[in-house]
């Protein structure tokens, strides 16, 4: 069947059209996305601004038309941390429903981590043994680990690259870098024992645009080489790059491989979060997984078909 997956993230609204059936990998058929930057369309009270609401509503209406044109039989629509954490989340989603007729579900941070873990487990398979997964989104960082398809531990932290970028100057001084670095590491370390007490993972993986961009900067193969090419983000290379990234202007950052112009302000905060994850969990590198939350949502839906059948 053909499914439409509408992912309202903190950075981007993304409709992924896939051809899917049980026992097969979801096959992308079409992709439609727009930069919404909802994590940056928040007022001082933590509410999504009217501008953000209008952008989301307009994108949802457009995505529904695209899905209809592409022959989608079903829509799976969900929102993550920017909407989840907004003080007016119900008002935002009620507005979208009234204007478009589409109900967008809000995923909890734990569910976001769990579904991403499922996607990574299916991608790498059972031979990965004890698996640890890290996902830096726009609004939050998800961490999960375990030996099965459902993680033993899964949690979410307010350490998304876009969220942190709101409080971070384009050319931060050494004191600002150190202060942010300290805050990030304290937040991650607070619950690190959830994952560490099970022992060193046999495989550690990362998903998301931020990790992919950092991997590309550190020498990973370009996306044009295809999904099946192994890609890693080595801690040593990332540490060498962070001072260079801090010193670069937004224009210079935009010229780096894998970095889009509308995300240049997120690269340094994202790099500090990635470095902290590897350092605190004693990982020399992370393997970049091309599957993430959207694929996890699709796979869970396909699993529900098989149970029903």
């Amino acid at each position: 069947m053909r499914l439409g997956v509408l992912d309202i993230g903190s950075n981007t609204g993304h409709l992924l059209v896939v051809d899917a059936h049980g026992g097969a990998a979801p096959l992308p058929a079409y992709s439609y996305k727009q930069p919404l930057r909802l994590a940056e369309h928040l007022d001082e009270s933590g509410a999504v601004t009217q501008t953000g609401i209008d952008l989301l509503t307009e994108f949802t209406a457009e995505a529904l038309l695209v899905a209809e044109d592409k022959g989608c039989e079903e829509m799976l629509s969900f929102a993550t941390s920017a909407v989840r954490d907004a003080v007016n989340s119900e008002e935002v989603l009620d507005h979208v429903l009234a204007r478009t007729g589409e109900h967008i579900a809000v995923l909890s941070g734990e569910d976001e981590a769990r579904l991403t873990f499922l996607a990574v487990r299916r991608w790498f398979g059972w031979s990965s043994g004890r698996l640890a997964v890290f996902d830096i989104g726009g609004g939050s960082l998800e961490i999960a680990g375990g030996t099965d398809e459902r993680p033993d531990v899964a949690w979410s932290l307010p350490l998304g690259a876009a969220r942190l970028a709101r409080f971070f100057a384009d050319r931060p001084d050494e004191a600002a870098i150190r202060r942010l670095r300290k805050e990030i590491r304290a937040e991650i370390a607070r619950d690190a024992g959830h994952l560490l007490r099970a022992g060193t993972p046999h495989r550690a993986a990362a998903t998301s645009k931020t990790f992919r961009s950092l991997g590309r900067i550190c020498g990973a193969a370009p996306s044009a080489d295809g999904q099946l090419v192994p890609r890693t983000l080595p801690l040593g290379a990332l540490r060498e790059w962070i001072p260079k990234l801090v010193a670069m202007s937004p224009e210079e950052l935009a010229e780096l491989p894998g970095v889009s112009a509308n995300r240049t302000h997120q690269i340094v905060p994202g790099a500090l979060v990635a470095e902290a994850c590897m350092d605190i969990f004693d990982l020399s590198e992370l393997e970049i997984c091309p599957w993430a939350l959207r694929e996890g949502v699709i796979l869970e839906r396909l699993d529900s078909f098989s149970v029903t059948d």
Side-chain angles (χ1 to χ4, degrees):
M1 69 179 300
R2 177 158 284 195
L3 295 173
V5 183
L6 184 60
D7 176 359
I8 305 301
S10 299
N11 278 311
T12 306
H14 191 169
L15 169 69
L16 182 64
V17 177
V18 295
D19 292 322
H21 62 273
L27 179 65
Y30 190 78
S31 176
Y32 173 70
K33 56 186 175 180
Q34 293 290 340
L36 301 179
R37 297 173 74 161
L38 292 179
E40 297 169 43
H41 285 294
L42 298 173
D43 63 22
E44 293 182 357
S45 71
V48 179
T49 64
Q50 189 59 51
T51 298
I53 294 173
D54 291 341
L55 286 170
L56 172 56
T57 304
E58 181 180 352
F59 171 75
T60 301
E62 292 170 353
L64 292 172
L65 289 175
V66 172
E68 182 180 323
D69 287 345
K70 297 301 177 183
C72 292
E73 299 177 48
E74 182 179 343
M75 286 288 288
L76 306 174
S77 301
F78 63 89
T80 55
S81 64
V83 175
R84 176 172 70 234
D85 297 338
V87 298
N88 62 337
S89 60
E90 289 188 13
E91 175 188 334
V92 172
L93 297 178
D94 286 346
H95 184 276
V96 173
L97 177 61
R99 298 299 177 89
T100 70
E102 184 66 13
H103 172 72
I104 298 175
V106 177
L107 292 181
S108 69
E110 182 177 341
D111 278 343
E112 195 174 340
R114 176 182 61 81
L115 289 164
T116 301
F117 183 90
L118 171 63
V120 177
R121 169 63 76 190
R122 293 279 177 93
W123 179 267
F124 286 123
W126 292 109
S127 63
S128 298
R130 185 181 299 109
L131 177 65
V133 175
F134 303 86
D135 181 356
I136 302 173
S140 59
L141 163 70
E142 276 67 50
I143 302 174
T147 56
D148 297 325
E149 290 203 329
R150 291 185 66 91
D152 300 325
V153 294
W155 73 101
S156 179
L157 298 170
L159 296 176
R163 184 192 295 265
L164 296 176
R166 293 178 61 209
F167 309 101
F168 203 57
D170 286 339
R171 304 295 283 271
D173 59 24
E174 185 176 341
I177 291 289
R178 184 170 183 177
R179 185 167 57 251
L180 182 61
R181 183 178 185 273
K182 180 180 179 180
E183 292 173 1
I184 289 169
R185 287 169 178 257
E187 188 76 44
I188 294 173
R190 184 175 298 118
D191 294 318
H194 294 337
L195 189 64
L196 289 172
R197 66 172 53 96
T200 303
H202 299 111
R203 192 169 213 151
T207 72
S208 80
K209 174 67 172 177
T210 296
F211 274 121
R212 290 197 303 272
S213 295
L214 292 171
R216 186 75 182 92
I217 289 170
C218 292
S223 59
D225 286 0
Q227 286 189 336
L228 300 182
V229 175
R231 295 174 174 86
T232 63
L233 174 62
L235 177 57
L238 180 61
R239 280 179 170 158
E240 290 180 6
W241 264 102
I242 286 176
K244 302 176 189 176
L245 297 174
V246 171
M248 288 181 175
S249 67
E251 292 74 21
E252 291 171 326
L253 289 169
E255 293 177 359
L256 292 173
V259 179
S260 53
N262 66 339
R263 293 193 185 219
T264 57
H265 60 305
Q266 300 180 26
I267 287 298
V268 172
L272 293 175
V273 173
E275 181 196 29
C277 286
M278 285 188 275
D279 206 4
I280 289 171
F281 292 101
D282 194 24
L283 303 168
S284 61
E285 68 176 17
L286 292 169
E287 296 184 65
I288 308 298
C289 179
W291 280 8
L293 178 59
R294 282 185 293 275
E295 285 77 15
V297 169
I298 295 166
L299 291 167
E300 185 171 69
R301 184 71 181 103
L302 291 177
D303 288 349
S304 73
F305 288 157
S306 61
V307 170
T308 301
D309 295 342

